[in-house]
Amino acid sequence: MTDKEALKGLFSLSIAWCCLISVSGEVISQDTYLNTLQSAAPLSCSEGFTELGYYNGSVSQTDSGSPCLKWTEFPDYVLQYPSRGLGDHSYCRNPDRESNPWCFFRQSSGAIGWAYCDCHQGAARLVGGSSPQSGRLEVYLNGQWGAVCDTHWTDRDASVICKQLGLGEIGTALQHSYFGPGSGLFHYERLGCRGNENSLLDCRSRKFVTSDCNHGNEAGVVCAAPEGNGAPLRLVGGLEDFEGRVEVYHDGRWGTICDDQWDDIDAEVVCRQLGLGGVPKAWTWAHFGQGSGPIFLDRLQCTGNELSLEECPHNNWQQHNCDHMEDAGVSCNPYTDGVVRLVGSDSPWEGRLEVYHSGDWGTVCDDNWTEHHAKVVCRQLGFSRGRAEVASDGLYGEGTGLILLDEVQCKGSEGTLLSCGHAEWGRHDCSHSEDVGVRCERGGETNEVPGLPQITGPLVRLVAGESRKEGRVEVFLNGQWGSVCDDGWNDINAAVVCRQLGFIGVSKARSMAYFGEGQGLIHLDNVRCTGAETSLGECPAEGEDAHDCRHSEDAGVICDYVPEPVGDGAIITQTCGMRPNTQRRRRRIIGGDKSIRGDWPWQASLWLKSQSKGNHPLCGATLINSCWVLTAAHCFKRFGRDPSRYVLRLGDYHTEERDDFERSLSPELIVIHRKYHSQGSEYDIALLRLKGTEGNCVAFNPHTNSACLPAPGNKWGKRPAACVITGWGITDSDYSRTLLQAWVPLLPTWKCKKRYGERYTSRMLCAGSLSDSRRVDSCQGDSGGPLVCQGEGGRWVLTGIISWGHGCGDPSFPGVYTRVSRFLRWIDQITNNPPKI
């Protein structure tokens, strides 16, 4: 009796013959496409067999979804069946010529069993698209087709699906049930593909669905190369999503780049094209492993101004003298010193604590750790409203590598772990058996959606929010998603929407396209809920034929709303130039993109008091410490320098909706540089003093912090890693009501001189895109607003003040900024010895 037969008898495993699996009948509308298996007959294991009848495919799961064990764990069996495809892998095989392949697997009890494999486990199809190249993704697992949640859905995942379906190498990820909702069954919360896998089962970071996916969150795919912005790029082989070997798509193939002359300037362009923030770093000598296939590019010489790698000067395609040992790589590291994370658990609110410092993650020793320490960690991670506790020893396993912190001393009120006292980095007397673990109580801040009640009527989803609990309200009617007009929109309507989505907390209505403008139809207007309804479809409303709205009036909601009053208490000690929200919610920075609330906490806006209820500020400004704000002198050219005429807003996001952290303050003093003349553009800089005692004018909070000033004598290296302008600037000939952000490259002095002649001086700098395809300049910001560049330690430095330019978005004339580093002495003199009021 063979080992397999003995196992079969010992464990009495029930066998689900994959060739008998059938798929229930499905009705697909005639105007959509269904990419699926080519036969309507019951699924069978008919592919992947050799001429001798041995299965040689790549399925590595049993028909119940259990992962197969490697054959080398059963050496006697490998010896018994030589030359039958068994080896150091976990693919299903039939060395005994069974009609169906099978494998050994580990049962939940720890015992070893065997089972047949489903040859179609992990099959994919696209449903509901207008062509075979697009649709809602559905995956076949355990005999059922189900969707993939869009929570962590990326272009890399979509590209793998397209490759698996034979629809090319490039895929674009679409979210929010773009192709309509499915059956309601979800298989995966995350695929976690790197982009170079051949099928989704090769993606090693797959995570089965939890409870936070529902109708409106099905992932969609378009299998087509994106238009514009250069040849597509991807990063392959890195441990994190933001790093890897650079590969470029050309002539229908992926290929690598030779590292000759490869430097951080080239890396900056790669990061910008991929929409990745953080600090760009170039890697050489196949740091992320050697690629295969063609080497497409060599001797790239980017200036740093380009928005795509293809715009950089380079040798002709495939003209090189390299091999794959010289494959170029990039990291776009978004982490800054002091960032923390919890690992070793399936939940983001608990785990072994790790902290980031000088490019490395390391653990923290648990000496003298108490709830006070845990509270600080949980607060830094965004879990600030519930209890926090130190986990029992070893609950989340032992770490490896560095132990970075010991002798940490927290009072419990600190905003970050770095604000607590601690020993010198890396100095400790601990082992990894003393790694501290932390458990945070979610306290209503989780993005999980509870089980949904049975709802009749149209489906509802929330789009473009910062979590699943908020966003623009969209309704699925007549086969299309559409928005809701905000006429009469109030908290009662919001409560019904949130109730339909399964939330039970306080609901807050948002109007005036607070979460951005939708596209397509506006389905509903003048919604009039009583508050007793269980779904929006039960509320009286006018339909799409009766409204008089534009998408600038799209309605939104915040569910489980918890107001966060500003307060005037003690100042929270914060480090300048740090964006406190970026750790738990990173988002791409691209030209003219809507920002995230609190992302740029030093942004201020200057309003005329008589027009403070308008929809656009007079100027932008930047908070540089608790009592002083920096802006442009020309902001006061028309209305004078009497501070009683003006109002400053801090913590503002939407100009027509009051935000939790928003404050309106009156300046008590305006100081314009004495050499500024209203007819010129030199010395375009001014300071505003806020009311209050020195150092205590404004209490910092998660949405209010100061930008750093440049260090005296500081000169950037080749070029700053990233520069961003922010403001409520012009987009499509109209002002934005939500705070915008745009990534702009600094330009060399000679290019600025060439365009502006003698008017451009050493007290200025210019920045913007010189590309005709992507035009980004200071029109996306506001006069007097900040241009900040990310410096050492991830801190953002106020490098320029938006000053002047010719036209808007004209690549021939980039925006001009007051160079802040040239005015440090003046700023110091005024802020330390201000003129008498």
Side-chain angles (χ1 to χ4, degrees):
M1 184 169 63
T2 66
D3 290 348
K4 177 194 151 197
E5 290 168 341
L7 281 170
K8 181 178 178 182
L10 180 61
F11 298 113
S12 301
L13 295 174
S14 59
I15 300 172
W17 293 85
C18 64
C19 58
L20 297 180
I21 293 176
S22 62
V23 179
S24 59
E26 300 182 48
V27 179
I28 306 296
S29 61
Q30 294 182 351
D31 59 344
T32 62
Y33 288 82
L34 174 62
N35 288 324
T36 184
L37 304 163
Q38 298 301 310
S39 173
L43 302 181
S44 64
C45 297
S46 58
E47 300 178 0
F49 283 84
T50 65
E51 292 183 2
L52 298 177
Y54 299 116
Y55 178 72
N56 197 35
S58 60
V59 173
S60 59
Q61 288 184 325
T62 69
D63 54 10
S64 63
S66 299
C68 296
L69 297 173
K70 285 189 175 183
W71 292 99
T72 47
E73 295 187 36
F74 307 93
D76 292 342
Y77 207 84
V78 174
L79 291 174
Q80 184 177 344
Y81 291 103
S83 303
R84 302 284 177 91
L86 308 185
D88 188 22
H89 61 77
S90 57
Y91 299 135
C92 299
R93 292 291 181 260
N94 61 336
D96 47 3
R97 289 192 177 178
E98 280 267 14
S99 59
N100 292 291
W102 56 274
C103 71
F104 295 111
F105 74 100
R106 191 176 303 278
Q107 299 177 352
S108 58
S109 64
I112 303 298
W114 73 271
Y116 289 109
C117 300
D118 183 346
C119 296
H120 298 291
Q121 190 86 342
R125 67 182 185 185
L126 303 182
V127 181
S130 59
S131 75
Q133 282 74 39
S134 65
R136 180 180 66 254
L137 172 62
E138 293 189 351
V139 176
Y140 182 81
L141 288 180
N142 306 329
Q144 290 182 292
W145 291 101
V148 174
C149 191
D150 63 8
T151 311
H152 306 285
W153 185 237
T154 68
D155 288 346
R156 294 185 300 277
D157 301 326
S159 296
V160 172
I161 295 300
C162 294
K163 187 174 183 179
Q164 177 175 341
L165 291 171
L167 298 175
E169 298 270 351
I170 303 289
T172 300
L174 298 177
Q175 298 176 313
H176 303 303
S177 300
Y178 185 89
F179 297 102
S183 65
L185 174 65
F186 285 82
H187 282 320
Y188 287 114
E189 178 179 321
R190 178 181 68 229
L191 293 188
C193 303
R194 295 293 180 192
N196 62 335
E197 298 90 345
N198 292 315
S199 73
L200 67 90
L201 291 183
D202 295 331
C203 300
R204 297 184 178 180
S205 298
R206 298 190 314 278
K207 182 179 180 182
F208 288 108
V209 76
T210 57
S211 61
D212 64 347
C213 291
N214 58 282
H215 277 312
N217 298 124
E218 287 94 345
V221 177
V222 174
C223 296
E227 296 181 3
N229 208 28
L233 302 179
R234 69 182 183 185
L235 301 180
V236 179
L239 294 176
E240 302 263 17
D241 292 342
F242 54 76
E243 64 182 9
R245 181 176 63 252
V246 182
E247 296 192 352
V248 58
Y249 191 71
H250 179 69
D251 281 347
R253 294 183 297 170
W254 287 102
T256 61
I257 297 173
C258 183
D259 64 10
D260 292 343
Q261 300 181 14
W262 186 250
D263 61 18
D264 290 349
I265 300 295
D266 305 316
E268 180 184 343
V269 176
V270 171
C271 296
R272 183 179 298 131
Q273 181 175 345
L274 292 173
L276 296 170
V279 179
K281 180 175 175 56
W283 298 88
T284 56
W285 292 106
H287 180 83
F288 297 102
Q290 296 184 28
S292 58
I295 298 173
F296 276 137
L297 293 176
D298 189 18
R299 297 189 179 278
L300 279 138
Q301 300 178 42
C302 301
T303 66
N305 305 316
E306 301 85 355
L307 292 174
S308 71
L309 201 63
E310 196 175 8
E311 296 176 18
C312 301
H314 57 77
N315 285 358
N316 293 330
W317 289 92
Q318 297 195 64
Q319 179 184 338
H320 64 86
N321 59 351
C322 309
D323 59 34
H324 283 296
M325 289 178 60
E326 300 168 86
D327 283 343
V330 158
S331 61
C332 313
N333 192 345
Y335 298 130
T336 56
D337 285 356
V339 167
V340 296
R341 67 182 182 186
L342 301 178
V343 300
S345 167
D346 291 333
S347 305
W349 53 84
E350 61 179 334
R352 183 177 65 253
L353 176 62
E354 292 188 349
V355 62
Y356 187 82
H357 179 70
S358 297
D360 290 302
W361 287 99
T363 60
V364 179
C365 187
D366 64 4
D367 290 350
N368 301 315
W369 266 68
T370 67
E371 285 188 6
H372 293 310
H373 298 74
K375 275 186 178 179
V376 174
V377 170
C378 294
R379 182 180 298 118
Q380 183 172 349
L381 289 170
F383 303 106
S384 59
R385 300 191 188 106
R387 291 189 307 114
E389 60 186 22
V390 179
S392 55
D393 292 346
L395 181 62
Y396 304 112
E398 296 183 6
T400 57
L402 299 174
I403 299 175
L404 285 175
L405 282 183
D406 191 13
E407 300 177 17
V408 180
Q409 300 172 353
C410 297
K411 298 176 182 177
S413 59
E414 296 87 351
T416 66
L417 193 63
L418 280 196
S419 301
C420 303
H422 57 81
E424 182 182 344
W425 286 99
R427 195 187 76 191
H428 63 87
D429 56 358
C430 308
S431 67
H432 279 297
S433 63
E434 299 169 83
D435 289 342
V436 72
V438 170
R439 183 184 294 112
C440 306
E441 185 176 310
R442 289 172 281 168
E445 295 197 8
T446 174
N447 291 340
E448 287 192 8
V449 176
L452 300 180
Q454 290 296 320
I455 297 294
T456 57
L459 296 171
V460 171
R461 68 180 182 181
L462 303 182
V463 180
E466 294 171 19
S467 76
R468 293 198 174 279
K469 299 187 293 185
E470 64 177 34
R472 182 175 62 251
V473 178
E474 295 193 353
V475 183
F476 193 70
L477 285 173
N478 302 322
Q480 289 182 286
W481 289 104
S483 57
V484 177
C485 184
D486 64 8
D487 291 342
W489 190 250
N490 57 30
D491 291 349
I492 296 175
N493 299 324
V496 174
V497 170
C498 295
R499 184 180 302 126
Q500 179 173 349
L501 292 172
F503 296 103
I504 59 176
V506 176
S507 305
K508 183 72 173 175
R510 291 296 191 192
S511 57
M512 305 299 291
Y514 186 88
F515 296 102
E517 297 184 8
Q519 297 178 340
L521 297 174
I522 298 175
H523 278 321
L524 300 177
D525 187 17
N526 287 313
V527 178
R528 302 179 297 279
C529 301
T530 66
E533 299 88 352
T534 58
S535 70
L536 193 64
E538 299 175 20
C539 301
E542 295 174 3
E544 59 189 60
D545 297 329
H547 73 78
D548 57 353
C549 305
R550 297 189 301 171
H551 280 296
S552 60
E553 301 169 81
D554 284 345
V557 301
I558 301 175
C559 302
D560 286 351
Y561 173 76
V562 179
E564 300 183 70
V566 174
D568 296 316
I571 291 182
I572 300 172
T573 301
Q574 286 189 262
T575 305
C576 72
M578 300 304 290
R579 299 161 60 197
N581 290 314
T582 54
Q583 177 177 341
R584 59 189 167 106
R585 46 182 199 186
R586 295 201 305 269
R587 182 158 142 179
R588 300 191 303 178
I589 300 174
I590 57 177
D593 194 18
K594 183 167 70 80
S595 70
I596 294 176
R597 297 193 300 277
D599 242 8
W600 307 103
W602 41 81
Q603 175 76 49
S605 55
L606 180 68
W607 300 73
L608 273 176
K609 188 175 290 186
S610 60
Q611 299 176 4
S612 60
K613 296 188 182 300
N615 63 6
H616 194 268
L618 178 68
C619 273
T622 308
L623 188 67
I624 59 171
N625 62 40
S626 174
C627 290
W628 289 92
V629 172
L630 201 58
T631 188
H634 76 259
C635 294
F636 306 99
K637 182 162 58 174
R638 182 176 180 186
F639 299 103
R641 63 182 74 184
D642 180 356
S644 65
R645 291 188 174 189
Y646 301 96
V647 172
L648 271 167
R649 283 190 197 168
L650 299 176
D652 197 8
Y653 173 71
H654 192 289
T655 58
E656 296 187 44
E657 288 270 353
R658 185 168 179 83
D659 295 286
D660 289 339
F661 287 98
E662 182 181 323
R663 278 174 287 186
S664 294
L665 304 171
S666 298
E668 68 174 14
L669 176 67
I670 297 174
V671 183
I672 296 175
H673 198 286
R674 61 184 178 84
K675 291 188 178 182
Y676 172 75
H677 298 289
S678 60
Q679 303 306 314
S681 47
E682 277 265 59
Y683 301 97
D684 191 11
I685 189 170
L687 279 162
L688 289 82
R689 172 61 156 83
L690 303 176
K691 293 180 179 179
T693 59
E694 192 61 39
N696 291 277
C697 302
V698 174
F700 290 164
N701 60 49
H703 288 206
T704 304
N705 191 19
S706 60
C708 296
L709 291 174
N714 175 64
K715 291 188 177 180
W716 297 102
K718 291 185 177 179
R719 177 170 279 101
C723 294
V724 174
I725 54 174
T726 52
W728 294 268
I730 296 174
T731 57
D732 299 327
S733 302
D734 197 6
Y735 287 112
S736 171
R737 285 175 293 195
T738 54
L739 185 65
L740 299 177
Q741 59 188 20
W743 199 340
V744 292
L746 296 185
L747 301 178
T749 298
W750 68 267
K751 286 192 176 182
C752 305
K753 280 268 191 190
K754 180 179 179 181
R755 282 160 173 77
Y756 289 112
E758 294 303 316
R759 189 180 177 189
Y760 183 88
T761 74
S762 62
R763 285 173 288 275
M764 303 172 186
L765 55 85
C766 72
S769 167
L770 299 181
S771 166
D772 285 315
S773 60
R774 294 263 314 268
R775 300 182 180 182
V776 179
D777 74 359
S778 53
C779 290
Q780 266 95 14
D782 299 291
S783 290
L787 180 146
V788 290
C789 301
Q790 195 169 24
E792 294 181 4
R795 297 181 185 179
W796 290 84
V797 177
L798 181 60
T799 306
I801 300 170
I802 298 174
S803 182
W804 59 279
H806 288 172
C808 187
D810 184 346
S812 301
F813 294 98
V816 181
Y817 303 77
T818 301
R819 190 187 296 264
V820 175
S821 62
R822 294 299 178 94
F823 295 92
L824 294 178
R825 182 177 299 176
W826 177 79
I827 293 171
D828 183 66
Q829 288 174 348
I830 299 298
T831 56
N832 289 316
N833 297 287
K836 291 184 179 180
I837 300 172

